[in-house]
Amino acid sequence: MSDENQIYLPDSFLNLYRDARQRLTAPLADIRARYELCEDLAQQLEEHARGRSIHAHGSEVDLLLRYHAGLADPEAGFSAAEAVWVIKRLSELLGWECPALPGDEAPAA
């Protein structure tokens, strides 16, 4: 078994790539690569957000919404669902309440 196959893919991320019949809509290797990208970004944004929250003129919610707006821009290279997932993951890492995000069908948990 290769190392990449040992990466745990959370259901919350896999669900971004499931159709109505719960089948994956992309090859698992592609999903794994997108997950690694999104998780790495959430980890990097955590460090950035912790530094900015002290100096930000807005609230934690404002900061998360600004990050989401940047990720949701088509030029950022993330799908709308991935942008929502990254921000939800970031809020989880920070221990902040996740605001309602544009394009999110499920309520923030």
Side-chain angles (χ1 to χ4, degrees):
M1 180 184 298
S2 70
D3 287 343
E4 81 173 359
N5 290 335
Q6 295 180 18
I7 294 172
Y8 170 73
L9 297 174
D11 286 335
S12 63
F13 195 82
L14 284 170
N15 289 340
L16 304 181
Y17 292 92
R18 291 193 193 279
D19 63 17
R21 296 175 70 184
Q22 297 302 305
R23 294 177 298 192
L24 293 176
T25 59
L28 192 54
D30 293 351
I31 297 170
R32 187 176 289 112
R34 294 303 295 179
Y35 168 73
E36 289 184 64
L37 177 69
C38 290
E39 178 65 25
D40 287 349
L41 179 59
Q43 297 284 337
Q44 290 175 5
L45 287 175
E46 177 191 14
E47 293 175 27
H48 188 261
R50 286 195 191 283
R52 296 248 347 203
S53 66
I54 296 169
H55 307 296
H57 299 288
S59 67
E60 294 169 351
V61 167
D62 293 333
L63 187 59
L64 291 172
L65 289 172
R66 283 196 303 271
Y67 284 145
H68 178 263
L71 292 173
D73 185 309
E75 292 183 20
F78 293 90
S79 70
E82 288 173 338
V84 168
W85 188 90
V86 169
I87 299 306
K88 285 184 173 186
R89 177 66 175 132
L90 174 60
S91 66
E92 178 183 296
L93 292 168
L94 292 165
W96 296 355
E97 185 173 340
C98 188
L101 299 168
D104 184 15
E105 298 173 5

